[in-house]
Structures are given as C-alpha cells and as structure tokens.
Amino acid sequence: MDKEYTLSYLPIFEEDIVKVRDYISFDLANPVASARLIEDVEDAIHKRLSNPEGFKPYKSKRDRKQPYYRINVKNYAVFYVVIDNVMEVRRFVYAKRNIPEII
C-alpha cells in the first residue's frame, strides 16, 4: 500500500513566496506572471506530494537530520524535507542566488 503524505509549510517559505509575488506584481508590474508563478509552484508541490521521497536528495554542505529535496519551478527552487508522513516545504529561492549559503 502506498504511503500517504500530508503537506506543511514553514512560515519562512510563505515569507519567501510573498516577497517574490510582490516583486513580480509590483516592482515588475506584472501581476499576471506573478499569479501564474504561484499556480505553477502550487501545482509542482501537490504533484510531488504523491511521492516526495522518490527523488534524489539535494546535496547540502550542511549536516542535516533530514535530507532536503528540490523542486525546480521556472527560475526558482522549492526546498522541502520529509518527516515521517509530512512533506514540510521550507524555502522558495531564486535559482541564480547562492543557494548553498541560503539553504
């Protein structure tokens, strides 16, 4: 029988995505692109929820209790861990930033 997972978001993920949404909507004056990105992120996360551990873990420089996994969405990366049956979404980062320093 397949394992079922629940979804959890850390507040820092929510802060990350709100900053990106606001930047695209207001600074770049493109609310349509902002809404599309948010939808794409939500779709990618929900698609991954069916098998979050079925992917190669992200190689981190830091020693971690749980491995990080990465989902690429356009020019961004979503990072999550799996704890028991919970897929905990932790960060949303622009892919061209220094990810090893952030994650």
Side-chain angles (χ1 to χ4, degrees):
M1 181 170 200
D2 291 335
K3 186 175 180 180
E4 288 194 31
Y5 296 88
T6 58
L7 193 54
S8 172
Y9 296 92
L10 288 186
I12 194 163
F13 169 81
E14 294 171 357
E15 292 170 18
D16 289 342
I17 205 160
V18 165
K19 286 178 187 174
V20 170
R21 181 202 64 198
D22 290 350
Y23 173 74
I24 295 170
S25 290
F26 304 116
D27 295 1
L28 300 180
N30 197 340
V32 173
S34 174
R36 190 175 325 117
L37 176 62
I38 299 300
E39 287 176 21
D40 291 348
V41 169
E42 289 174 352
D43 289 347
I45 290 169
H46 285 279
K47 186 183 285 185
R48 183 67 64 96
L49 185 60
S50 65
N51 187 19
E53 295 175 289
F55 298 83
K56 183 178 176 182
Y58 173 75
K59 291 202 184 266
S60 178
K61 291 182 176 180
R62 299 179 187 173
D63 187 28
R64 302 185 182 280
K65 189 174 181 180
Q66 295 92 14
Y68 269 49
Y69 294 89
R70 179 178 180 156
I71 305 171
N72 295 314
V73 181
K74 298 188 180 185
N75 292 329
Y76 294 88
V78 175
F79 290 92
Y80 68 91
V81 298
V82 178
I83 304 169
D84 298 322
N85 69 328
V86 177
M87 179 177 157
E88 183 179 85
V89 182
R90 294 194 168 178
R91 296 302 306 260
F92 182 68
V93 181
Y94 183 62
K96 299 202 184 220
R97 292 186 64 196
N98 188 352
I99 290 176
E101 293 299 317
I102 297 168
I103 300 300

